[in-house]
Amino acid sequence: MLWRGSQALRLFSTGQVYFKNKLKLALIGQSLFGQEVYHHLCKEGHRVVGVFTVPDKDGKADPLALAAEKDGTPVFKFPRWRVKGKTIKEVAEAYKSVGAELNVLPFCTQFIPMDIIDSPKHGSIIYHPSILPRHRGASAINWTLIMGDKKAGFSVFWADDGLDTGPILLQRSCDIEPNDTVDALYNRFLFPEGIKAMVEAVQLIADGKAPRIPQPEEGATYEGIQKKENAEISWDQSAEVLHNWIRGHDKVPGAWTEINGQMVTFYGSSLLKSSVPPGEPLEIKGAKKPGLVTKNGLVLFGNDGKALMVRNLQFEDGRMIPASQYFSAGETSVVELTAEEVKVAETIKVIWAGILSNVPVIEDSTDFFKSGASSMDVVRLVEEIRQKCGGLQLQNEDVYMATKFEDFIQKVVRKLRGEDQEVELVVDYVSKEVNEMIVKMPYQCFINGEFTDADDGKTYDTINPTDGSTICKVSYASLVDVDKAVAAAKDAFEKGEWGRMNARERGRLMYRLADLLEENQEELATIEALDSGAVYTLALKTHIGMSVQTFRYFAGWCDKIQVTPLTALKFAELSVKAGFPKGVINIIPGSGGIAGQRLSEHPDIRKLGFTGSTAIGKQIMKSCAVSNLKKVSLELGGKSPLIIFNDCELDKAVRMGMGAVFFNKGENCIAAGRLFVEESIHDEFVTRVVEEIKKMKIGDPLDRSTDHGPQNHQAHLEKLLQYCEAGVKEGATLVYGGRQVHRPGFFMEPTVFTDVEDHMYLAKEESFGPIMVISKFQNGDIDGVLQRANNTEYGLASGVFTRDISKAMYVSEKLEAGTVFVNTYNKTDVAAPFGGVKQSGFGKDLGEEALNEYLKTKTVTLEY
């Protein structure tokens, strides 16, 4: 009736960190969640004296049992704890023998008698995946989504008689994203934060600080949703309610409806934020309006006229297909396998056999799930195939869509051959009539040759800095999206068409992309002006024009399109038109803290380029080193000095000096952060600069006569205003500007400070804005001004104006910077290497040296 493990107690490492109060614990439950709670409690120094879990299923032990058995912790596997309402005597005796002071139930599907619950000194605590008392019972997560709650979370409470009404010990909550599923909530929050909370709760009890907060017994959902007949979709509801119903049932049992006389289950619902794409009508029983089978999925309509989209469909026989393939689902023919593909199939058969250990022989008709596989086995299958089949990257959905072994092998072979790729690119646009044209802007992530919403459906507003209005909502990439993009790139380079191309063919595609950029340069420049505030004529010549030159120079990647997302996403669309294979180019708009950090840590990335602040660059360099020692190039902060001698051509120095500071509203990595002007021409230089500033036209960047556009975003404008305030407080002279322009949008006046001393904040910190910082130096003091110019941790660029070529060469040699401009500024060329020194980073963009950043040198020694 019961199986009992070894009674040997685990000896903890002497290196373990212990706190003053620790408890003897009994863990009652199962699952990976239970396993992780077990590991963390042991790590914190608590003593697990017994694990009570479920019997082995199909010869496989539960993950919690496996972990405990490996450690030598006593493990008990009871099929039940009571019979006819009474606790089984042998079970109770076995439990009491371990002498636990607290029962911890991280996830438990069995009914535990109250005499066991109340037996230990401190009683029992249990994890519940909702914010009690809102939802109780086994389906609490599902009801959180079905009811349209805006917050999800979990509770750790003092266990009661199974009705989830015991006193609360602690609770945690999170926001629910519009397209969250049960899995998404569980993986993002309930699982990782729940583990931490269980450990925290145990320690609170050990320290005598655990609260017992009563909860009301009324007013909560409790109904289970395990019955399929209860999950039928009622169509006379809004799109949001329909979406919540489908995603709330996404895992089990699946929301369903009747189509053409058979039950069809929907998976992967998302609210449709864009216009409804074209598609083929599909009649659905009970729905007032037919669905639309589109290239992205099945569009469904609520009674409010709004729409949602479903990605996958499952039929009564268990077969799952992409919803976009509904009308062509039965048209796929069986492919004959080559010798190499037969080897892959045999390897996969071994993997299936290892997972389905209860199945004597894997046959063509063997069904993965009907043979006892779970969702965790899907993860294992995908990972093992990647490891043992040359890096072949499948998605979890591939398994659900081909559950029989024969069908699964056919899907794998088609993926290997690239036959599952879509020929036509599907793009959802945001269109705007502006600048005497209609611009069409993609707004989704671009991953593996397709535009797609972020995995969790999250978006952010991209703002037009000219008037502060929202241009559109752009997908906000999650960690899952980053991993998908990296996997796609790895597959493209290691096994895809790109990896098999010769250099000439790659070059042909890049020249084609350069041509397409040039053909669409007006639209691209307009999008850049809308999204970043760059003056249109500047964007046309520099941002886009230099991109074209870069591709044509050395067929490399284009790093001059600003990181504002819309231009980059339009670039992705053009890359497909140029013929780039899937996965070669991936664009994931999002935050540096999430997407960027994951890229720097990702084990499959071997080279990373970053442009940004020095502080973040240091963090990225650390992450690159700790993760897999990946190669990294960094273009970081700058405080580029510009030295203007009294023998210069003054008119040119004024014009070029202004360009060095005010080019692109100062949002320029090599902007002259500090001007050193020789004493005898200082006052005249300042006077002329102010006169020229007054002639500048500030306004709409799409106006061809505009000289100065808005800053990129509101937060940056506010930072620049604070920068000016700091300069005034420290005693620098504000000669001109320093304020926000009185008009809509994020406009900053071109600003001039003089009398800036070396110790001041303005002299040391980069503004990245239209702020000219001028310091005077004594006539003839060349070495003195060089010492002041080099007295910075930055070294990106620099400049000098003088008619004396010997002086210019001497100063150029002594300036500690990656680039020195002589009698000019901002004049870069795609053939000239560009990069910084000191804390402005290392590595080169542009020029032949940039290629070396993305190449590996290999020595091959051959002897016949």
Side-chain angles (χ1 to χ4, degrees), residues 434-435 463-466 471 522-540 543-544 564 567 665 700-703 709-712:
V434 63
N435 200 22
I463 304 298
N464 182 347
T466 302
I471 301 172
E522 288 85 5
E523 183 179 20
L524 286 163
T526 301
I527 294 172
E528 184 67 5
L530 278 176
D531 205 14
S532 75
V535 172
Y536 172 77
T537 51
L538 172 66
L540 191 64
H543 297 176
I544 310 303
T564 44
T567 319
K665 318 102 68 180
D700 184 351
L702 291 173
D703 185 334
Q711 304 309 134
N712 190 269

Side-chain angles (χ1 to χ4, degrees), residues 428-447:
D428 282 341
Y429 295 108
V430 170
S431 298
K432 287 189 179 293
E433 187 171 354
V434 63
N435 200 22
E436 299 181 350
M437 69 178 76
I438 296 177
V439 294
K440 298 169 72 175
M441 298 172 284
Y443 59 87
Q444 298 166 295
C445 299
F446 183 73
I447 300 174

Side-chain angles (χ1 to χ4, degrees), residues 382-553:
V382 170
E383 183 63 18
E384 284 200 44
I385 288 175
R386 185 184 68 81
Q387 293 174 346
K388 298 176 181 179
C389 296
L392 174 60
Q393 186 65 55
L394 301 177
Q395 303 298 324
N396 291 0
E397 289 180 358
D398 293 326
V399 186
Y400 290 108
M401 291 180 189
T403 61
K404 292 181 181 179
F405 183 75
E406 181 180 33
D407 296 337
F408 185 73
I409 292 300
Q410 289 284 308
K411 175 167 273 296
V412 168
V413 169
R414 288 192 171 90
K415 186 171 284 285
L416 285 170
R417 296 180 183 181
E419 294 175 7
D420 62 339
Q421 298 180 359
E422 294 286 343
V423 176
E424 181 181 350
L425 178 67
V426 179
V427 189
D428 282 341
Y429 295 108
V430 170
S431 298
K432 287 189 179 293
E433 187 171 354
V434 63
N435 200 22
E436 299 181 350
M437 69 178 76
I438 296 177
V439 294
K440 298 169 72 175
M441 298 172 284
Y443 59 87
Q444 298 166 295
C445 299
F446 183 73
I447 300 174
N448 201 27
E450 296 179 352
F451 285 101
T452 179
D453 291 337
D455 182 76
D456 57 8
K458 197 171 184 180
T459 63
Y460 69 99
D461 292 339
T462 185
I463 304 298
N464 182 347
T466 302
D467 57 14
S469 64
T470 298
I471 301 172
C472 64
K473 292 185 178 295
V474 177
S475 291
Y476 191 83
S478 67
L479 298 181
V480 173
D481 298 305
V482 175
D483 289 345
K484 287 179 180 177
V486 173
K490 188 172 187 288
D491 186 69
F493 278 84
E494 294 182 357
K495 303 192 303 299
E497 184 181 354
W498 183 260
R500 297 190 294 269
M501 279 185 188
N502 58 38
R504 179 171 297 181
E505 182 64 16
R506 289 184 179 184
R508 184 189 68 78
L509 290 179
M510 294 181 183
Y511 277 118
R512 173 60 181 148
L513 180 54
D515 291 343
L516 285 168
L517 287 171
E518 192 168 50
E519 289 171 18
N520 293 271
Q521 60 182 340
E522 288 85 5
E523 183 179 20
L524 286 163
T526 301
I527 294 172
E528 184 67 5
L530 278 176
D531 205 14
S532 75
V535 172
Y536 172 77
T537 51
L538 172 66
L540 191 64
K541 178 183 178 181
T542 305
H543 297 176
I544 310 303
M546 195 169 179
S547 301
V548 176
Q549 295 175 38
T550 301
F551 271 91
R552 286 179 174 157
Y553 172 69

Side-chain angles (χ1 to χ4, degrees), residues 610-622 634-639 765-766 793-796 837-841:
F610 171 74
T611 299
S613 72
T614 297
I616 300 300
K618 289 179 178 179
Q619 180 61 43
I620 284 177
M621 191 173 177
K622 179 181 178 182
L634 303 171
E635 183 191 315
L636 307 177
K639 189 67 176 173
E765 295 301 322
E766 179 183 26
E793 279 299 303
Y794 301 112
L796 190 57
V837 297
K838 300 195 287 190
Q839 291 199 44
S840 287

Side-chain angles (χ1 to χ4, degrees), residues 675-692:
L675 276 65
F676 295 92
V677 182
E678 199 159 7
E679 187 172 22
S680 59
I681 62 168
H682 175 273
D683 292 349
E684 184 179 0
F685 178 86
V686 173
T687 298
R688 291 198 187 185
V689 165
V690 172
E691 288 174 353
E692 292 301 315

Side-chain angles (χ1 to χ4, degrees), residues 50-68:
V51 165
F52 300 84
T53 187
V54 294
D56 295 353
K57 180 181 179 182
D58 298 324
K60 293 194 296 184
D62 181 80
L64 174 57
L66 288 173

